[in-house]
Amino acid sequence: QVQLVESGGGLAQAGGSLRLSCAASRSIRNVVIMGWHRQGAGKQRELVADISDGGDTGYAASVKGRFTISRDNGGNTVYLQMNNLKPEDTGVYYCKAIRLIAGTTYDYWGQGTLVTVAS
């Protein structure tokens, strides 16, 4: 059973920075995409950023230019550098990994880490 373990959440002031990390509990193959999603209070979970095994990145419009996603060479650890944080960035941030095996995708989620941005 693969587990994704997030760390780095906490309290930040508006305009501040936090760095989230997500590591797989063991080395896993065929991870094609890793990403970060978040869920604010009373809101649906939304994609924040993702990165492919080829290094292609994508960002939600609300975080573009402020957040940076990166992935280690082994591909099983992903980071989210969050700068110029805003109160609306508050939420639980979840790491997600997608594996592609024989044409079928498998999703793995972390347990989430809380980010609170104070105004």
Side-chain angles (χ1 to χ4, degrees):
Q1 183 73 14
V2 176
Q3 291 183 320
L4 299 177
V5 181
E6 299 113 332
S7 60
L11 175 65
Q13 296 296 314
S17 298
L18 286 172
R19 179 177 168 88
L20 305 183
S21 300
C22 169
S25 57
R26 62 175 176 84
S27 178
I28 49 177
R29 295 183 178 181
N30 308 112
V31 176
V32 292
I33 295 175
M34 293 192 78
W36 292 93
H37 296 242
R38 70 184 178 191
Q39 188 165 17
K43 298 180 181 179
Q44 288 189 328
R45 191 175 298 189
E46 61 175 353
L47 173 66
V48 175
D50 59 15
I51 183 167
S52 72
D53 54 351
D56 295 325
T57 59
Y59 297 92
S62 59
V63 307
K64 208 167 187 179
R66 300 188 297 120
F67 291 10
T68 302
I69 190 169
S70 59
R71 192 168 170 178
D72 71 353
N73 289 335
N76 286 173
T77 301
V78 65
Y79 307 94
L80 186 68
Q81 178 67 44
M82 305 186 293
N83 297 329
N84 190 20
L85 284 162
K86 302 177 180 181
E88 51 263 41
D89 294 320
T90 295
V92 180
Y93 283 68
Y94 298 91
C95 176
K96 180 181 180 181
I98 301 174
R99 298 178 73 189
L100 178 62
I101 302 172
T104 300
T105 58
Y106 300 85
D107 294 350
Y108 300 86
W109 290 92
Q111 80 287 353
T113 185
L114 178 62
V115 171
T116 303
V117 183
S119 58

